[in-house]
Amino acid sequence: MVNADDRLPESPATEIRVPLRVGSDDPRGGRWTTLRGGGREWLWRRPDTGRDGVRAGDPFVDAGGLEECLPTVRGRPDHGDVWSRPWRTIGPGAATIERPDFTLTRRLTDRSGVVVADYRLQADPGYRFIWAAHALLDLSPAARLDAPADTPTRLYPEAAALLPASRWPADRPWLSGTWPTPAGLPLDQLGPDDGTAVGAVLLGCPTVRVNDGADRLTLHLDCDGQPRSTALWRNLRGWPTDGPYRSIGVEPLLGGTFDLAEAGPDDAAEVPPSGEVTWRLTLSAHRSSGGRPR
């Protein structure tokens, strides 16, 4: 995979940094509940979902915020095995969760207004996994996603309804294309609502930027020796069929697919002989000079 950290479009020279603050709910799955700065809340929330009553093994309950998905996103367990279980707080901003196959520890800090999430996964050597920071963002219909042009991009089956039937490969779980218009679909535009829902993975893309009016949010994933990507869930009131709503997920990803069961040799992270994988997610915000939060 080609990592393209430095090929994002340039930001305006007049923008200023907006300090961010983060908060999480460790007893309820470690979910990030706030990512706030400059009078703006970046994380979208969906109230009255019954999220507080979730038990381990339940189908995913979409409450918004940022969910930790491990060891898969799609497939089983639904959105992974850690979002529905209590995490144990072990220090300021630090929490851990222990499962039979792995132990995951996370530390959240605000460093000069930049949010840094440091992770450590301990498991047997050879253990394969997908991890995603399943961040659902509160964005206007004018928002767009910046990623390096021509990034290899996988489209998932929801997109089949938007394409001629002959375009979808019968023997593959995804259709390959390039950013920003894989198979001719302009995925960088994140609204307005049009009744569609599309999932995609931008392969080898550890850095993306969300632009919404005067505000910009940059997400960057560091991890040596593991595949780094960004997943996109662009739900413009196209899902679920029995009560669709709008939700936009921009999701730093270790791996190259949503479902661990579909992962090829290079599509999942793998624990090395040391028995440990560490990675860092960094989130920073900027605002054009003179701009106001929407």
Side-chain angles (χ1 to χ4, degrees), residues 206-231:
T207 307
V208 295
R209 185 169 59 232
V210 178
N211 299 275
D212 195 8
D215 291 324
R216 315 199 194 299
L217 180 70
T218 301
L219 304 92
H220 175 73
L221 178 60
D222 279 311
C223 187
D224 290 338
Q226 304 291 346
R228 298 176 296 163
S229 303
T230 299

Side-chain angles (χ1 to χ4, degrees), residues 25-31 51-53 67 82-87:
D25 188 351
D26 296 342
R28 296 178 179 84
R31 182 170 67 101
R51 178 72 163 75
D52 290 348
E67 301 276 15
V82 301
W83 71 271
S84 60
R85 301 176 185 272
W87 294 42

Side-chain angles (χ1 to χ4, degrees), residues 162-183:
L162 304 177
L163 301 172
S166 61
R167 291 296 304 278
W168 199 261
D171 59 344
R172 294 285 291 174
W174 57 70
L175 177 66
S176 297
T178 56
W179 186 264
T181 55

Side-chain angles (χ1 to χ4, degrees), residues 22-47:
V22 65
S24 65
D25 188 351
D26 296 342
R28 296 178 179 84
R31 182 170 67 101
W32 300 28
T33 54
T34 186
L35 181 67
R36 188 170 184 84
R40 173 173 187 151
E41 174 59 62
W42 281 98
L43 295 181
W44 171 82
R45 299 165 182 162
R46 183 167 171 250

Side-chain angles (χ1 to χ4, degrees), residues 70-71 121-131 223-228 254-256 260 263-279:
L70 181 79
L121 180 91
Q122 296 167 296
D124 289 340
Y127 179 75
R128 301 181 81 228
F129 65 95
I130 302 291
W131 166 85
C223 187
D224 290 338
Q226 304 291 346
R228 298 176 296 163
L254 285 181
L260 180 61
D266 299 322
D267 292 333
E270 184 171 326
V271 176
S274 65
E276 181 176 285
V277 179
T278 60
W279 64 95

Side-chain angles (χ1 to χ4, degrees), residues 71-94:
T72 191
V73 184
R74 298 185 181 183
R76 295 184 178 182
D78 187 10
H79 282 68
D81 197 32
V82 301
W83 71 271
S84 60
R85 301 176 185 272
W87 294 42
R88 178 167 54 90
T89 301
I90 58 175

